[in-house]
Amino acid sequence: MVPGAGPATGSRSFLARLRDGDEIARLITFLFAAIVVLITLLIVFELWQSSVLSRHKFGLSFLRTSTWDPNLEQFGALPFIFGTLVTSAVALLIAVPLGIGAAIFLAELAPARLSDALEFFIDLLAAVPSVIYGVLGIFIVVPVMRDVIQPALKDVLGFLPIFRGPAFGIGLLTAGLVLSIMVIPYIISVSREVLLSVPRDQREAALALGATRWESTWKVVVPFARTGIMGSIFLALARALGETMAVTMVIGNTPQIAASLFAPGDSIASVIANQFTEATGEMYTQSLIELGLVLFLLTFILNGLARLLIVLTSQRGASHA
Amino acid sequence: MTIQMNAQLRWRKFVSNFMLTMTGVCALISVSVLFFILGYLVYHGGASINWDFFTKLPAPVGESGGGMANAILGSAKLLMLATLVGVPIGFLGAVYLAEFSGSTVAFVVRYAADLLNGVPSIVIGIFAYAVAVHPFRHFSTYAGGFALGIMMIPITLRSTEEFLLGVPRSLREGAMALGASKWKTIASVIVPAAYRGILTAILLAFARVAGETAPLLFTALGNRYWSSGFNEPTASLPVMVYNYAISPFEDWHRQAWAAGLVLLGLILVINIIARAVLARGIAVPRS
C-alpha cells in the first residue's frame, strides 16, 4: 500500500488524486485523444486552405466543366466525377446482390462453425491491399474482359449504347468489376452482423405462420435489418469512391465522358495519384487538392449516413429483444 | 382444390430451396476470390522469388534481374515510423476514452476517429504532402511514415477502446478496493487484462497500412537506390509493385508478381497471427 494514499473512493480531494498521479495520467491521455480530433480538423483545414486559388478562380464551375488542360490552366472536374460515380455504380450493381446473398447464407443458413470459418476468409479478403487487386486486374481481368466478356456483351446486349465501342479490356466496366470484388467483403461483414442481430422470435413467428425458410428470411428478417443493410451498402460505396490504386491500374486514365462502359475513363482518386507529383504550377496542384476536397466531402457524407443507419438497426434489434 | 394448393406449396418450396442455394453460391463465389488471388500470386510470383529478390538493388532500366532489397528495407522503415506515430496516439487516446472521459468528449473523439478511418488513403497522402513534404521542399521517409501512422490511429484507437471497456468491472473494483490509484489500476490491472485484444488491434492496424500504396506516392515517393536515414525519398514494396506492374517490361512484371506475393504473404500472416492471439486469450466478456 502506498503510504499516505487515502481510501480509494470517488470523493478523494483533487490534491490526493494529483499526488497519486491520476490527474497527470488523465491529462496525458487527454492530450493524445485531443491529437486525434486535431488531426482530423487539420485535414479539413489543409484541404480547404491548399485549394484556395483553384476554388476562387473556378468557383462552382469546377464541378460542372469538363476541360482539364494543365497548359491553359483550365481545370474542370466533371470527367473525374463522372468516372468515379460510374465505376462505383457498376461496382455496387455487382457487389450488392452477391454480398447480400452471401451474408444471408452466413447469417441464416450456415451452421455457426462454417459461418465463422467463412467470415474468417472474408476478413482476410478485406485485408488484401488494393495494389494487389490492381496487379490481378491488369494481368488477369483485363485480358479476360477484352477477349471474352466484352465481345460477348457486345453480341448479346450490343443494342444498348453502354455496351458499344471497341473492347480495350481497360475502362470503366473493368474498373467497376475490380472495385466490386474489393467492396464485397465490407457488405458481407456488416450485413451479416445486422442480420444476426435480428431477434429470433421474428423468424419463429414467420415459420409458425407457415412461411417457407426463404419467405421468412426475405419477407421478415431482411426487411427488419434493411436500414443496417443500407448502411453496409453506403459504407461500401464510400470505399469504392475513394479507392485509388486498383482503379488507376485498370481504368485507362483518359479524362472523358463516354456513353459506353467499354471506354477508358478516369476517376478523382486516380487522377490525383497519376498527376500530383508531376503537377507544375500552383493552380495545377491546387486543382488536384480541390479534387481531394471533393472526394473527402463525398466520403464524409456517405460514412456519416452509413454509421447512422447501422446504429439505428442494432438499436432496433436490441430494444426488441 | 387440394391439387392446386399442393402445386402452389410445391412452387413455394422450390423457390425457397432455389433461393437458399443461390445464397450459398454467392458465399462460395465471394470466398473463392481469396483463393484465386492467392493461387495466381503463388503461380506467377513463386517462380520469381529468389535470393536476389531479397538482397539486390533494382537493376538499371532495360536490364533484367536485380531485386528489391531497398524496397523491403524502405517498407520496414516506413512501418516503424508509422507504428511510432499511430500506436501511442491510438492506445493512449483509447485509454482516455475508456477510463477518463465524459460522454461528450468521448463522442467527439470517437466521431473524429470514425471520420479519419473513412478518409480515402489518397486524401491522407495529400494531407501528408501538405504538412510534411511541401514545407521542406523534398520527399522523405518521414513524410511517408507520418501518412501511414495517421491511418493506424483510428483502427488502433477504436478496437483498443472496445477491449478496455470489455474488462470486467469486478477487476477494477478489486484493484481500487486494495487502495490502488486509478492510473495504477489501469496500468497494472486493466491494460494487462486486455493486452491480447490490444495486441490484436495493433497488429491489424499494422497489416492494414503495410499494403497501402496511395499515401506513399507523393510522400515517400520511391527510390531505385538505398535510402540513407529518414530524410530521403525511399522505395517501398507496395509502390514498387505498382510501378513495376504498369511498366512495359516483361521482367518487371515478373518482379511485380513476386513483390505482390511477398507483400500479401506478410499481410495475411500478420492477420492470422492477430486473430490467433485473440482466440487463445481468455474470453473477454462485454460489459
Side-chain angles (χ1 to χ4, degrees), chain A residues 281-320:
Chain A
E282 277 293 284
M283 190 60 80
Y284 194 179
T285 306
Q286 296 221 352
S287 298
L288 287 169
I289 295 179
E290 189 176 351
L291 277 177
L293 181 66
V294 171
L295 192 60
F296 174 86
L297 292 176
L298 274 176
T299 51
F300 171 62
I301 294 166
L302 279 169
N303 275 315
L305 272 175
R307 266 168 228 292
L308 188 69
L309 290 174
I310 294 166
V311 168
L312 283 180
T313 315
S314 33
Q315 274 176 356
R316 191 161 162 229
S319 70
H320 199 93

Side-chain angles (χ1 to χ4, degrees), chain B residues 170-240:
Chain B
S170 52
L171 279 182
R172 288 160 215 268
E173 284 168 354
M176 298 288 242
L178 288 173
S181 63
K182 191 156 187 185
W183 80 267
K184 274 212 157 144
T185 309
I186 296 168
S188 56
V189 176
I190 299 175
V191 170
Y195 92 93
R196 280 174 191 278
I198 296 169
L199 189 59
T200 302
I202 292 172
L203 283 172
L204 288 179
F206 185 87
R208 160 96 192 274
V209 299
E212 277 298 341
T213 316
L216 299 179
L217 289 176
F218 28 84
T219 50
L221 196 69
N223 198 335
R224 296 198 59 79
Y225 305 97
W226 295 106
S227 150
S228 67
F230 291 92
N231 217 6
E232 289 176 10
T234 180
S236 59
L237 268 181
V239 176
M240 273 315 230

Side-chain angles (χ1 to χ4, degrees), chain A residues 19 60 95 97 106 149 194 237 250 296 299 304 307 310 316 320:
Chain A
R19 199 168 51 228
L60 272 182
L106 292 180
I149 297 179
V194 293
L237 179 57
V250 297
F296 174 86
T299 51
R307 266 168 228 292
I310 294 166
R316 191 161 162 229
H320 199 93

Side-chain angles (χ1 to χ4, degrees), chain B residues 3 12 76 94 130 170 244:
Chain B
I3 294 167
R12 283 173 52 206
S170 52
Y244 273 33

Side-chain angles (χ1 to χ4, degrees), chain B residues 1-276:
Chain B
M1 188 69 185
T2 40
I3 294 167
Q4 208 181 10
M5 287 215 355
N6 273 341
Q8 201 194 5
L9 187 61
R10 231 179 288 140
W11 169 246
R12 283 173 52 206
K13 282 194 166 162
F14 167 77
V15 169
S16 178
N17 288 332
F18 176 76
M19 292 309 287
L20 293 176
T21 314
M22 288 310 286
T23 64
V25 172
C26 289
L28 194 67
I29 293 174
S30 309
V31 171
S32 61
V33 170
L34 178 68
F35 296 97
F36 269 114
I37 293 175
L38 273 175
Y40 273 116
L41 277 169
V42 170
Y43 175 73
H44 287 283
S48 305
I49 293 186
N50 49 28
W51 192 240
D52 281 359
F53 179 85
F54 295 102
T55 54
K56 289 205 169 151
L57 281 177
V61 179
E63 279 177 36
S64 62
M68 294 198 183
N70 60 341
I72 295 170
L73 183 70
S75 270
K77 275 156 71 177
L78 286 166
L79 287 170
M80 191 187 83
L81 285 177
T83 311
L84 286 178
V85 172
V87 169
I89 300 178
F91 173 71
L92 290 172
V95 169
Y96 180 76
L97 286 188
E99 306 297 333
F100 290 111
S101 81
S103 59
T104 319
V105 180
F107 175 80
V108 173
V109 176
R110 276 188 207 118
Y111 192 80
D114 286 344
L115 180 56
L116 197 56
N117 197 22
V119 176
S121 55
I122 189 93
V123 175
I124 300 279
I126 294 181
F127 172 65
Y129 174 87
V131 299
V133 175
H134 194 252
F136 305 101
R137 303 275 161 201
H138 66 91
F139 300 102
S140 67
T141 311
Y142 283 126
F146 174 68
L148 295 183
I150 290 177
M151 300 195 67
M152 276 182 86
I153 294 173
I155 318 173
T156 315
L157 180 109
R158 295 293 267 134
S159 344
T160 303
E161 186 205 353
E162 206 169 299
F163 287 113
L164 289 176
L165 288 174
V167 173
R169 227 184 129 69
S170 52
L171 279 182
R172 288 160 215 268
E173 284 168 354
M176 298 288 242
L178 288 173
S181 63
K182 191 156 187 185
W183 80 267
K184 274 212 157 144
T185 309
I186 296 168
S188 56
V189 176
I190 299 175
V191 170
Y195 92 93
R196 280 174 191 278
I198 296 169
L199 189 59
T200 302
I202 292 172
L203 283 172
L204 288 179
F206 185 87
R208 160 96 192 274
V209 299
E212 277 298 341
T213 316
L216 299 179
L217 289 176
F218 28 84
T219 50
L221 196 69
N223 198 335
R224 296 198 59 79
Y225 305 97
W226 295 106
S227 150
S228 67
F230 291 92
N231 217 6
E232 289 176 10
T234 180
S236 59
L237 268 181
V239 176
M240 273 315 230
V241 173
Y242 171 62
N243 284 333
Y244 273 33
I246 61 170
S247 77
F249 309 115
E250 201 58 42
D251 192 58
W252 284 19
H253 294 169
R254 193 179 57 73
Q255 294 195 35
W257 280 110
L261 177 62
V262 171
L263 187 63
L264 185 64
L266 176 80
I267 289 168
L268 292 188
V269 166
I270 296 174
N271 262 276
I272 292 168
I273 290 175
R275 279 159 228 276

